[in-house]
Amino acid sequence: MSAEHGYLPDIQEGLKFFPEQASSYAGELDLFFIGLVVVCGFMTLLVFGLIVFFSYRYHADRQKPREKLPSAKSSHRIELSVLGAMFVIFMGIFAWSTHLYLDIYRGPEAAMTINVVGKQWMWKVQHPEGVREINTLHVPVGETVELRLTSEDVIHSFYVPDFRVKHDAVPGTYRKVWFEATKPGEYRLFCAEYCGSYHSRMRGKIVAMQPADYERWLGDQGEQVAPEVQGASLFRSYGCSGCHLGKSDVRAPSLAGVYGRPVPLASGGTVMADEAYLRDSILQPQKHVVAGFAPIMPSYSGQISEGEILQIIAYLKSLQPEDQALNPAAMTQGDAP
Ligand code: CUA
């Protein structure tokens, strides 16, 4: 049960009031948190102070003059000013928190997107260059790192206290979360959503490095195959190319340049071909049937891992509309409107 096993945080760290501030927005979030504590603390003290004061001053045994009540007009004034002050304070909190939330939610343009898949009970990571890690994530300091979070099984939560990052990894969805590490070092990673027997062991670390060290680290990982290249070979090995690529007799929509475009549906209307759409089309092909095509595609649910889906999506995103790798004839072959 010692720190050696890594199950218990060491006591000293547990006693610190705040975790280290190691990301660009950690300070701002802490300031907001302190602001809330101060406002709530002040209100609590005020209310309890007045209760104590009045119960002493107007205790039944004490002969205090009670006939001099404030006039209706001045008590209205008191009520209005209390209401007004509350309104200003709470709208202030609302404005501050919304501003902060939107800043963090939208985030700046990301320098890189790293895929993170939660799985009972580990975090599987793949860098854009192809490097994979388990329960460890190396990132460069001073760059905006975006994570594309998903889960292979149940809901997990990616939690890095020192970065003030906590975001659910939900099966069937892609969630984005970003951070910018400000100091090199190692930071604890936890799963913050109860996800089964070994939830407490689902932990790891973030290693923040100077950009040059990060580049060197990437280089040291040996020859890597980029996710889109891995995706291209999966596209063939799972047989996707049999229908979605040239020469095939089976009619299936061309996938060149599909990403980021509206797709007309057989049911009428269109759907935007984003990452979620591509994922759904692999696992639940009947959900969005493309106009002009029969619903004949089989589901790959249960046969393909989340990591592989991400690689196939990376491949499809890399295809340009004029890409000759995919069937140009499919565009004209169908009787699609
Ligand atoms: Cu994964 Cu808790």
Side-chain angles (χ1 to χ4, degrees):
M1 294 304 283
S2 66
E4 228 174 280
H5 288 90
Y7 298 145
L8 293 174
D10 67 77
I11 304 282
Q12 265 198 321
E13 188 151 326
L15 290 177
K16 261 196 285 177
F17 189 63
F18 277 109
E20 201 169 330
Q21 296 180 342
S23 77
S24 57
Y25 50 69
E28 256 182 292
L29 269 177
D30 288 355
L31 193 64
F32 177 65
F33 178 75
I34 292 169
L36 281 184
V37 171
V38 167
V39 169
C40 296
F42 173 74
M43 287 295 169
T44 311
L45 285 181
L46 182 68
V47 169
F48 279 87
L50 286 176
I51 290 174
V52 171
F53 173 70
F54 285 136
S55 44
Y56 171 75
R57 187 178 164 94
Y58 297 106
H59 189 273
D61 291 348
R62 292 173 67 85
Q63 300 303 313
K64 277 281 168 191
R66 287 157 205 230
E67 59 282 353
K68 237 186 84 196
L69 293 170
S71 67
K73 201 173 158 198
S74 74
S75 77
H76 270 151
R77 214 176 289 145
I78 294 170
E79 278 178 39
L80 283 178
S81 41
V82 169
L83 281 177
M86 290 294 167
F87 183 76
V88 169
I89 290 172
F90 285 100
M91 288 314 280
I93 292 176
F94 171 71
W96 189 3
S97 60
T98 309
H99 175 74
L100 206 54
Y101 175 80
L102 289 179
D103 263 9
I104 293 175
Y105 184 80
R106 290 185 190 133
E109 188 73 36
M112 65 179 78
T113 299
I114 297 178
N115 292 327
V116 177
V117 179
K119 184 182 172 178
Q120 285 170 325
W121 288 274
M122 64 181 88
W123 294 105
K124 299 206 289 185
V125 172
Q126 186 168 30
H127 291 254
E129 296 79 9
V131 177
R132 293 157 183 279
E133 303 185 77
I134 287 181
N135 289 344
T136 306
L137 169 58
H138 288 74
V139 292
V141 162
E143 283 181 29
T144 305
V145 175
E146 185 180 68
L147 305 180
R148 191 188 284 116
L149 281 173
T150 188
S151 165
E152 192 94 49
D153 35 45
V154 298
I155 300 177
H156 303 277
S157 186
F158 189 92
Y159 181 34
V160 186
D162 293 333
F163 288 0
R164 309 296 184 275
V165 164
K166 181 167 174 287
H167 213 88
D168 282 0
V170 181
T173 65
Y174 294 127
R175 300 289 174 91
K176 300 257 173 93
V177 61
W178 70 274
F179 59 79
E180 183 193 317
T182 50
K183 292 184 221 171
E186 292 194 358
Y187 305 99
R188 288 154 185 276
L189 160 67
F190 297 93
C191 175
E193 184 81 46
Y194 182 68
C195 54
S197 312
Y198 296 112
H199 156 71
S200 62
R201 289 191 204 170
M202 191 168 164
R203 31 196 299 181
K205 63 180 177 189
I206 313 287
V207 183
M209 312 167 101
Q210 294 296 355
D213 294 337
Y214 175 74
E215 289 306 324
R216 198 168 315 129
W217 174 83
L218 274 182
D220 288 346
Q221 304 310 303
E223 198 65 37
Q224 297 294 333
V225 185
E228 57 267 27
V229 178
Q230 290 172 319
S233 67
L234 289 170
F235 193 77
R236 282 187 295 275
S237 62
Y238 275 107
C240 316
S241 52
C243 300
H244 290 282
L245 204 64
K247 295 171 216 141
S248 125
D249 294 335
V250 189
R251 291 200 305 115
S254 166
L255 299 179
V258 69
Y259 181 76
R261 304 212 168 179
V263 175
L265 298 178
S267 57
T270 59
V271 62
M272 180 54 78
D274 54 10
E275 292 170 350
Y277 165 81
L278 296 178
R279 183 183 187 286
D280 284 348
S281 300
I282 296 169
L283 300 180
Q284 308 165 50
Q286 316 302 330
K287 187 169 168 187
H288 302 296
V289 177
V290 178
F293 293 92
I296 49 171
M297 172 163 162
S299 166
Y300 285 78
S301 178
Q303 303 176 42
I304 185 166
S305 77
E306 290 296 335
E308 290 175 326
I309 295 175
L310 285 167
Q311 290 164 352
I312 290 181
I313 290 176
Y315 167 62
L316 295 177
K317 283 169 81 170
S318 72
L319 294 171
Q320 300 306 310
E322 64 280 359
D323 218 311
Q324 293 306 306
L326 284 185
N327 179 17
M331 302 296 225
T332 52
Q333 169 191 60
D335 45 4

Short mmCIF file of all heavy atoms in Angstrom, two decimals, residues 55-101:
data_model
loop_
_atom_site.label_atom_id
_atom_site.label_comp_id
_atom_site.label_asym_id
_atom_site.label_seq_id
_atom_site.Cartn_x
_atom_site.Cartn_y
_atom_site.Cartn_z
N SER A 55 -30.48 37.56 17.15
CA SER A 55 -31.03 36.73 18.23
C SER A 55 -30.49 37.18 19.59
O SER A 55 -31.17 36.99 20.60
CB SER A 55 -30.76 35.23 17.97
OG SER A 55 -29.45 35.06 17.55
N TYR A 56 -29.33 37.80 19.57
CA TYR A 56 -28.83 38.35 20.83
C TYR A 56 -29.56 39.66 21.16
O TYR A 56 -30.13 39.84 22.22
CB TYR A 56 -27.32 38.59 20.71
CG TYR A 56 -26.75 39.35 21.88
CD1 TYR A 56 -26.56 38.73 23.12
CD2 TYR A 56 -26.43 40.70 21.75
CE1 TYR A 56 -26.05 39.42 24.19
CE2 TYR A 56 -25.93 41.41 22.83
CZ TYR A 56 -25.73 40.78 24.06
OH TYR A 56 -25.23 41.48 25.11
N ARG A 57 -29.59 40.55 20.17
CA ARG A 57 -30.12 41.88 20.42
C ARG A 57 -31.61 41.86 20.76
O ARG A 57 -32.09 42.60 21.60
CB ARG A 57 -29.89 42.74 19.18
CG ARG A 57 -30.25 44.21 19.35
CD ARG A 57 -29.94 44.97 18.06
NE ARG A 57 -30.60 46.27 18.05
CZ ARG A 57 -30.01 47.38 18.47
NH1 ARG A 57 -28.80 47.35 18.95
NH2 ARG A 57 -30.68 48.52 18.41
N TYR A 58 -32.35 40.99 20.09
CA TYR A 58 -33.81 40.98 20.30
C TYR A 58 -34.27 39.76 21.08
O TYR A 58 -35.38 39.28 20.91
CB TYR A 58 -34.54 41.10 18.96
CG TYR A 58 -34.24 42.42 18.29
CD1 TYR A 58 -33.40 42.48 17.19
CD2 TYR A 58 -34.79 43.60 18.79
CE1 TYR A 58 -33.09 43.68 16.60
CE2 TYR A 58 -34.47 44.82 18.20
CZ TYR A 58 -33.62 44.86 17.11
OH TYR A 58 -33.33 46.05 16.55
N HIS A 59 -33.39 39.23 21.89
CA HIS A 59 -33.77 38.11 22.75
C HIS A 59 -34.94 38.54 23.64
O HIS A 59 -35.02 39.70 24.06
CB HIS A 59 -32.57 37.71 23.60
CG HIS A 59 -32.78 36.44 24.37
ND1 HIS A 59 -33.37 36.42 25.60
CD2 HIS A 59 -32.51 35.15 24.05
CE1 HIS A 59 -33.45 35.18 26.02
NE2 HIS A 59 -32.93 34.37 25.08
N ALA A 60 -35.89 37.62 23.91
CA ALA A 60 -37.12 37.96 24.65
C ALA A 60 -36.82 38.62 26.00
O ALA A 60 -37.58 39.48 26.47
CB ALA A 60 -37.95 36.70 24.87
N ASP A 61 -35.70 38.26 26.63
CA ASP A 61 -35.37 38.82 27.94
C ASP A 61 -34.88 40.26 27.88
O ASP A 61 -34.81 40.94 28.90
CB ASP A 61 -34.27 37.98 28.61
CG ASP A 61 -34.81 36.62 28.99
OD1 ASP A 61 -36.04 36.45 28.93
OD2 ASP A 61 -33.99 35.72 29.31
N ARG A 62 -34.45 40.67 26.69
CA ARG A 62 -33.84 42.00 26.61
C ARG A 62 -34.91 43.05 26.29
O ARG A 62 -35.73 42.87 25.41
CB ARG A 62 -32.74 42.02 25.56
CG ARG A 62 -31.54 41.17 25.96
CD ARG A 62 -30.55 41.07 24.84
NE ARG A 62 -29.94 42.35 24.56
CZ ARG A 62 -28.87 42.83 25.22
NH1 ARG A 62 -28.32 42.10 26.17
NH2 ARG A 62 -28.38 44.00 24.95
N GLN A 63 -34.86 44.13 27.02
CA GLN A 63 -35.86 45.18 26.85
C GLN A 63 -35.36 46.19 25.82
O GLN A 63 -34.83 47.22 26.15
CB GLN A 63 -36.13 45.87 28.20
CG GLN A 63 -36.65 44.93 29.28
CD GLN A 63 -37.92 44.22 28.84
OE1 GLN A 63 -38.85 44.86 28.33
NE2 GLN A 63 -37.97 42.90 29.02
N LYS A 64 -35.51 45.85 24.59
CA LYS A 64 -35.09 46.78 23.53
C LYS A 64 -36.34 47.47 22.98
O LYS A 64 -37.38 46.85 22.84
CB LYS A 64 -34.39 46.00 22.40
CG LYS A 64 -32.94 45.72 22.69
CD LYS A 64 -32.10 46.96 22.42
CE LYS A 64 -30.69 46.77 22.98
NZ LYS A 64 -29.94 48.03 22.97
N PRO A 65 -36.20 48.75 22.62
CA PRO A 65 -37.35 49.42 22.02
C PRO A 65 -37.66 48.78 20.67
O PRO A 65 -36.77 48.57 19.85
CB PRO A 65 -36.87 50.85 21.83
CG PRO A 65 -35.39 50.78 21.84
CD PRO A 65 -35.02 49.61 22.70
N ARG A 66 -38.92 48.37 20.47
CA ARG A 66 -39.28 47.70 19.23
C ARG A 66 -40.34 48.45 18.44
O ARG A 66 -40.74 48.02 17.36
CB ARG A 66 -39.83 46.30 19.52
CG ARG A 66 -38.74 45.35 19.93
CD ARG A 66 -39.28 44.21 20.72
NE ARG A 66 -38.23 43.70 21.57
CZ ARG A 66 -37.90 42.42 21.67
NH1 ARG A 66 -38.57 41.52 21.01
NH2 ARG A 66 -36.92 42.03 22.44
N GLU A 67 -40.79 49.57 18.98
CA GLU A 67 -41.88 50.25 18.28
C GLU A 67 -41.38 51.09 17.13
O GLU A 67 -42.11 51.42 16.20
CB GLU A 67 -42.71 51.11 19.26
CG GLU A 67 -41.95 52.19 20.01
CD GLU A 67 -41.13 51.62 21.17
OE1 GLU A 67 -41.28 50.39 21.46
OE2 GLU A 67 -40.33 52.35 21.74
N LYS A 68 -40.03 51.36 17.11
CA LYS A 68 -39.51 52.23 16.05
C LYS A 68 -39.11 51.41 14.82
O LYS A 68 -37.94 51.28 14.48
CB LYS A 68 -38.29 53.00 16.57
CG LYS A 68 -38.48 54.52 16.44
CD LYS A 68 -37.23 55.29 16.82
CE LYS A 68 -36.26 55.39 15.64
NZ LYS A 68 -34.92 55.78 16.07
N LEU A 69 -40.09 50.83 14.14
CA LEU A 69 -39.80 50.07 12.94
C LEU A 69 -39.55 51.01 11.78
O LEU A 69 -40.09 52.11 11.75
CB LEU A 69 -40.96 49.12 12.62
CG LEU A 69 -41.17 48.00 13.62
CD1 LEU A 69 -42.46 47.29 13.34
CD2 LEU A 69 -39.99 47.05 13.60
N PRO A 70 -38.77 50.60 10.81
CA PRO A 70 -38.58 51.48 9.66
C PRO A 70 -39.90 51.67 8.90
O PRO A 70 -40.76 50.79 8.90
CB PRO A 70 -37.55 50.73 8.81
CG PRO A 70 -37.51 49.34 9.33
CD PRO A 70 -38.02 49.36 10.74
N SER A 71 -39.99 52.81 8.27
CA SER A 71 -41.22 53.08 7.51
C SER A 71 -41.30 52.14 6.30
O SER A 71 -40.29 51.57 5.89
CB SER A 71 -41.19 54.53 7.02
OG SER A 71 -40.17 54.67 6.06
N ALA A 72 -42.50 52.02 5.75
CA ALA A 72 -42.69 51.15 4.58
C ALA A 72 -41.76 51.60 3.46
O ALA A 72 -41.17 50.78 2.74
CB ALA A 72 -44.14 51.20 4.13
N LYS A 73 -41.61 52.94 3.32
CA LYS A 73 -40.82 53.47 2.22
C LYS A 73 -39.35 53.07 2.37
O LYS A 73 -38.72 52.60 1.43
CB LYS A 73 -40.97 54.99 2.21
CG LYS A 73 -40.62 55.62 0.88
CD LYS A 73 -40.94 57.10 0.88
CE LYS A 73 -40.13 57.81 -0.19
NZ LYS A 73 -40.07 59.26 0.06
N SER A 74 -38.81 53.21 3.59
CA SER A 74 -37.39 52.90 3.72
C SER A 74 -37.15 51.40 3.70
O SER A 74 -36.09 50.94 3.28
CB SER A 74 -36.79 53.56 4.97
OG SER A 74 -37.21 52.87 6.12
N SER A 75 -38.14 50.60 4.14
CA SER A 75 -37.90 49.16 4.06
C SER A 75 -37.96 48.68 2.60
O SER A 75 -37.27 47.75 2.21
CB SER A 75 -38.87 48.38 4.94
OG SER A 75 -40.12 48.29 4.36
N HIS A 76 -38.77 49.36 1.78
CA HIS A 76 -38.74 49.07 0.33
C HIS A 76 -37.38 49.37 -0.24
O HIS A 76 -36.84 48.62 -1.06
CB HIS A 76 -39.78 49.95 -0.40
CG HIS A 76 -41.11 49.29 -0.49
ND1 HIS A 76 -42.30 49.99 -0.54
CD2 HIS A 76 -41.44 47.99 -0.52
CE1 HIS A 76 -43.30 49.14 -0.58
NE2 HIS A 76 -42.81 47.92 -0.57
N ARG A 77 -36.83 50.49 0.22
CA ARG A 77 -35.53 50.90 -0.31
C ARG A 77 -34.48 49.85 0.06
O ARG A 77 -33.63 49.51 -0.77
CB ARG A 77 -35.16 52.27 0.27
CG ARG A 77 -34.37 53.11 -0.71
CD ARG A 77 -34.09 54.49 -0.16
NE ARG A 77 -35.28 55.33 -0.10
CZ ARG A 77 -35.50 56.23 0.88
NH1 ARG A 77 -34.64 56.38 1.87
NH2 ARG A 77 -36.60 56.98 0.86
N ILE A 78 -34.58 49.36 1.30
CA ILE A 78 -33.60 48.34 1.72
C ILE A 78 -33.75 47.08 0.86
O ILE A 78 -32.78 46.54 0.33
CB ILE A 78 -33.80 47.98 3.22
CG1 ILE A 78 -33.45 49.20 4.08
CG2 ILE A 78 -32.93 46.79 3.61
CD1 ILE A 78 -33.83 49.07 5.54
N GLU A 79 -35.00 46.65 0.68
CA GLU A 79 -35.23 45.44 -0.12
C GLU A 79 -34.70 45.60 -1.54
O GLU A 79 -34.05 44.70 -2.08
CB GLU A 79 -36.73 45.13 -0.20
CG GLU A 79 -37.23 44.38 1.01
CD GLU A 79 -38.73 44.11 0.95
OE1 GLU A 79 -39.21 43.81 -0.17
OE2 GLU A 79 -39.38 44.22 1.99
N LEU A 80 -35.01 46.76 -2.13
CA LEU A 80 -34.56 46.97 -3.51
C LEU A 80 -33.05 46.98 -3.61
O LEU A 80 -32.48 46.42 -4.55
CB LEU A 80 -35.14 48.28 -4.06
CG LEU A 80 -36.62 48.20 -4.46
CD1 LEU A 80 -37.11 49.55 -4.95
CD2 LEU A 80 -36.82 47.14 -5.55
N SER A 81 -32.39 47.61 -2.63
CA SER A 81 -30.94 47.66 -2.76
C SER A 81 -30.32 46.27 -2.53
O SER A 81 -29.34 45.92 -3.20
CB SER A 81 -30.31 48.72 -1.85
OG SER A 81 -30.94 48.72 -0.61
N VAL A 82 -30.91 45.48 -1.64
CA VAL A 82 -30.39 44.11 -1.46
C VAL A 82 -30.58 43.32 -2.75
O VAL A 82 -29.66 42.66 -3.26
CB VAL A 82 -31.09 43.40 -0.28
CG1 VAL A 82 -30.74 41.92 -0.27
CG2 VAL A 82 -30.68 44.03 1.04
N LEU A 83 -31.81 43.42 -3.33
CA LEU A 83 -32.08 42.72 -4.59
C LEU A 83 -31.13 43.18 -5.69
O LEU A 83 -30.59 42.36 -6.45
CB LEU A 83 -33.53 42.95 -5.03
CG LEU A 83 -34.58 42.10 -4.31
CD1 LEU A 83 -35.97 42.50 -4.80
CD2 LEU A 83 -34.33 40.63 -4.57
N GLY A 84 -30.94 44.49 -5.76
CA GLY A 84 -30.06 45.06 -6.79
C GLY A 84 -28.64 44.54 -6.64
O GLY A 84 -28.01 44.11 -7.62
N ALA A 85 -28.15 44.53 -5.41
CA ALA A 85 -26.77 44.07 -5.18
C ALA A 85 -26.64 42.59 -5.56
O ALA A 85 -25.68 42.18 -6.22
CB ALA A 85 -26.39 44.28 -3.72
N MET A 86 -27.64 41.78 -5.17
CA MET A 86 -27.64 40.35 -5.52
C MET A 86 -27.60 40.17 -7.03
O MET A 86 -26.85 39.35 -7.56
CB MET A 86 -28.92 39.66 -5.01
CG MET A 86 -28.99 39.54 -3.53
SD MET A 86 -27.71 38.42 -3.01
CE MET A 86 -27.74 38.72 -1.29
N PHE A 87 -28.46 40.96 -7.70
CA PHE A 87 -28.55 40.86 -9.15
C PHE A 87 -27.18 41.14 -9.79
O PHE A 87 -26.71 40.38 -10.63
CB PHE A 87 -29.61 41.83 -9.68
CG PHE A 87 -29.82 41.75 -11.15
CD1 PHE A 87 -30.54 40.70 -11.70
CD2 PHE A 87 -29.28 42.72 -12.01
CE1 PHE A 87 -30.72 40.61 -13.07
CE2 PHE A 87 -29.47 42.63 -13.37
CZ PHE A 87 -30.19 41.58 -13.90
N VAL A 88 -26.56 42.22 -9.34
CA VAL A 88 -25.27 42.60 -9.92
C VAL A 88 -24.22 41.51 -9.64
O VAL A 88 -23.49 41.08 -10.54
CB VAL A 88 -24.82 43.97 -9.37
CG1 VAL A 88 -23.37 44.24 -9.76
CG2 VAL A 88 -25.74 45.06 -9.87
N ILE A 89 -24.19 41.03 -8.40
CA ILE A 89 -23.19 40.02 -8.05
C ILE A 89 -23.40 38.74 -8.85
O ILE A 89 -22.47 38.21 -9.46
CB ILE A 89 -23.25 39.69 -6.53
CG1 ILE A 89 -22.74 40.89 -5.74
CG2 ILE A 89 -22.41 38.46 -6.20
CD1 ILE A 89 -22.93 40.76 -4.24
N PHE A 90 -24.65 38.26 -8.92
CA PHE A 90 -24.86 36.99 -9.61
C PHE A 90 -24.73 37.11 -11.12
O PHE A 90 -24.23 36.19 -11.77
CB PHE A 90 -26.20 36.36 -9.18
CG PHE A 90 -26.09 35.76 -7.81
CD1 PHE A 90 -26.56 36.42 -6.69
CD2 PHE A 90 -25.44 34.54 -7.63
CE1 PHE A 90 -26.42 35.88 -5.42
CE2 PHE A 90 -25.29 33.99 -6.37
CZ PHE A 90 -25.78 34.67 -5.25
N MET A 91 -25.13 38.26 -11.69
CA MET A 91 -24.91 38.44 -13.12
C MET A 91 -23.41 38.55 -13.40
O MET A 91 -22.94 38.12 -14.45
CB MET A 91 -25.64 39.69 -13.65
CG MET A 91 -27.14 39.54 -13.74
SD MET A 91 -27.69 37.99 -14.49
CE MET A 91 -27.47 38.35 -16.22
N GLY A 92 -22.68 39.12 -12.45
CA GLY A 92 -21.22 39.20 -12.60
C GLY A 92 -20.62 37.80 -12.64
O GLY A 92 -19.78 37.50 -13.50
N ILE A 93 -21.08 36.94 -11.74
CA ILE A 93 -20.58 35.56 -11.72
C ILE A 93 -20.94 34.86 -13.03
O ILE A 93 -20.12 34.16 -13.64
CB ILE A 93 -21.17 34.78 -10.52
CG1 ILE A 93 -20.62 35.36 -9.22
CG2 ILE A 93 -20.87 33.29 -10.63
CD1 ILE A 93 -21.22 34.73 -7.98
N PHE A 94 -22.17 35.10 -13.48
CA PHE A 94 -22.63 34.50 -14.73
C PHE A 94 -21.74 34.94 -15.90
O PHE A 94 -21.27 34.12 -16.70
CB PHE A 94 -24.09 34.90 -14.98
CG PHE A 94 -24.60 34.51 -16.33
CD1 PHE A 94 -24.84 33.18 -16.64
CD2 PHE A 94 -24.86 35.48 -17.29
CE1 PHE A 94 -25.30 32.82 -17.90
CE2 PHE A 94 -25.33 35.13 -18.54
CZ PHE A 94 -25.54 33.80 -18.85
N ALA A 95 -21.49 36.27 -15.98
CA ALA A 95 -20.70 36.79 -17.09
C ALA A 95 -19.27 36.23 -17.03
O ALA A 95 -18.72 35.80 -18.05
CB ALA A 95 -20.68 38.32 -17.04
N TRP A 96 -18.70 36.23 -15.87
CA TRP A 96 -17.33 35.76 -15.70
C TRP A 96 -17.22 34.28 -16.08
O TRP A 96 -16.36 33.87 -16.85
CB TRP A 96 -16.91 35.97 -14.24
CG TRP A 96 -15.45 35.73 -13.95
CD1 TRP A 96 -14.48 35.40 -14.85
CD2 TRP A 96 -14.82 35.79 -12.67
NE1 TRP A 96 -13.28 35.25 -14.21
CE2 TRP A 96 -13.45 35.48 -12.87
CE3 TRP A 96 -15.26 36.06 -11.38
CZ2 TRP A 96 -12.53 35.45 -11.82
CZ3 TRP A 96 -14.34 36.03 -10.34
CH2 TRP A 96 -13.00 35.73 -10.56
N SER A 97 -18.13 33.46 -15.54
CA SER A 97 -18.04 32.02 -15.80
C SER A 97 -18.33 31.70 -17.26
O SER A 97 -17.68 30.84 -17.85
CB SER A 97 -19.00 31.25 -14.89
OG SER A 97 -20.31 31.66 -15.10
N THR A 98 -19.28 32.42 -17.87
CA THR A 98 -19.60 32.15 -19.27
C THR A 98 -18.42 32.49 -20.17
O THR A 98 -18.06 31.74 -21.07
CB THR A 98 -20.82 32.99 -19.72
OG1 THR A 98 -21.86 32.78 -18.78
CG2 THR A 98 -21.30 32.59 -21.09
N HIS A 99 -17.81 33.64 -19.87
CA HIS A 99 -16.65 34.07 -20.63
C HIS A 99 -15.55 33.01 -20.56
O HIS A 99 -14.98 32.59 -21.57
CB HIS A 99 -16.19 35.41 -20.06
CG HIS A 99 -14.94 35.93 -20.67
ND1 HIS A 99 -14.91 36.48 -21.92
CD2 HIS A 99 -13.66 35.95 -20.21
CE1 HIS A 99 -13.67 36.83 -22.21
NE2 HIS A 99 -12.90 36.51 -21.18
N LEU A 100 -15.30 32.55 -19.34
CA LEU A 100 -14.26 31.55 -19.11
C LEU A 100 -14.61 30.24 -19.81
O LEU A 100 -13.78 29.62 -20.48
CB LEU A 100 -14.16 31.34 -17.60
CG LEU A 100 -12.86 30.84 -17.01
CD1 LEU A 100 -11.72 31.73 -17.44
CD2 LEU A 100 -12.96 30.82 -15.48
N TYR A 101 -15.86 29.83 -19.66
CA TYR A 101 -16.31 28.57 -20.25
C TYR A 101 -16.15 28.60 -21.78
O TYR A 101 -15.61 27.66 -22.38
CB TYR A 101 -17.76 28.30 -19.88
CG TYR A 101 -18.32 27.07 -20.55
CD1 TYR A 101 -18.05 25.81 -20.05
CD2 TYR A 101 -19.09 27.18 -21.71
CE1 TYR A 101 -18.54 24.68 -20.68
CE2 TYR A 101 -19.57 26.06 -22.34
CZ TYR A 101 -19.30 24.81 -21.82
OH TYR A 101 -19.76 23.70 -22.47
#
